[in-house]
Amino acid sequence: MPSGLIALALGGFGIGLTEFLIAGLLPQVASSFAVSEAAAGWLISGYALSVAIGAIALTAATARLPRKEVLVGLVALFVIGNLLSAIAPSYPVMLLGRIVAALCHGSFFGIGSLVARSLVAPERKSRAVAVMFAGLTLANVLGVPFGALVGERWGWRAAFWAVTAIGVLALAGIVALVPRDAAETGPRSDLRDQFRAFRSWQVWLTLTATALGYGGMFGAFSYIAYTFTEVGGFSSADVAWLLMVYGVGLVVGNLIGGRAADHDRDRALVLALLGLTVTLTVFGLVAANATASVILVFLMGLTGFASVPGMITRVTDFAHGAALAASANVSASNIGNALGAWLGGLAITAGLGYTAPLYVGAGITLVSVIVMAVAAHLARSPAQQTDHFV
């Protein structure tokens, strides 16, 4: 495994921690700044919005710059944002720190995935992307408990100081371990070339499948705590370890998905999305059974993240290596998250119960299966394949 991949994974781990740890710190932060829970919630929603915007804006702005230098700048931005959060004297400064840290998120994973695949042989590119994303999935497992533990013992600011230190280590690792020549593998292009990649049907189909796949998983995940406590009979204290089971599923699914995508990518993607559809449907049917719920929340993480490495390499292949398309994939996933959570919330508000988000998620993911199947068919059928709109 190239050492540069470890540096990229460490950067992904730090960025993932920043995204997830705040959930366990919101009560402390709200109390510290004397703001309402709703206002404190903007530290999460504002971050997500900034990820979607920053992924496109920063990647477009840096399209002609060397990728290694761009990654270094993005991680430096991440360090500055978390430092602002750690020393914030007021809530607006804290929110600013979250926004600054979030701006680098999408571009880092978009550009970083291109660098990661350039560090290995072509037949191992999806696995390389999976290694990079392993940092993010591990952060999903550890983020909330890490934030809660550090915050409880040393205060919420200590958690952001710790993430800042991780960012500094990742920055040093990328500078020292990511070779400049590998980071520059592939065609250099200006912004017009980057946008030209979006003339491809396959790019748009892949982005759509990504948004719907994420939307299905997070539509269910957003309300999973209510499913556990109100349907499964678990206590509130059980939710933390159940979420860790889900996180372990993410880690396993990411690694399996990367390996499977290197063998037969489109088949692996269709099967992963179909597996998620079946998992969410069965989960809804047996959510009252505690043992089944533990197994299915693990499978939900596994099947939900198994498509991620393949989707990243697929969109960048059809975009001919355009970094903007890779970052757009991250934006698509965040748009899907918002869509899924909104639709799941509507189902609960309509009085359909706390298993309803699971069925909503299954429905969204089923559409993703159809989109991915169409994309795969067009990609392998010479008679119907159309690489560009014009």
Side-chain angles (χ1 to χ4, degrees), residues 274-368:
L274 185 60
L276 178 59
T277 304
V278 173
T279 297
L280 293 175
T281 302
V282 175
F283 200 168
L285 294 173
V286 301
N289 184 293
T291 302
S293 292
V294 175
I295 296 171
L296 286 163
V297 78
F298 170 79
L299 292 176
M300 178 177 153
L302 188 153
T303 55
F305 223 81
S307 64
V308 171
M311 287 295 191
I312 287 282
T313 57
R314 192 178 201 281
V315 78
T316 50
D317 279 350
F318 281 103
H320 306 292
L324 193 60
S327 296
N329 200 69
V330 180
S331 290
S333 66
N334 279 270
I335 292 170
N337 294 352
L339 173 67
W342 176 62
L343 292 176
L346 286 181
I348 292 175
T349 303
L352 299 179
Y354 290 112
T355 58
L358 291 165
Y359 295 122
V360 169
I364 297 172
T365 310
L366 180 59
V367 180
S368 182

Side-chain angles (χ1 to χ4, degrees), residues 228 234-248 290 294 297:
F228 285 140
F234 291 98
S235 68
S236 298
D238 290 325
V239 172
W241 69 262
L242 287 166
L243 292 181
M244 291 189 71
V245 171
Y246 167 78
V248 172
V294 175
V297 78

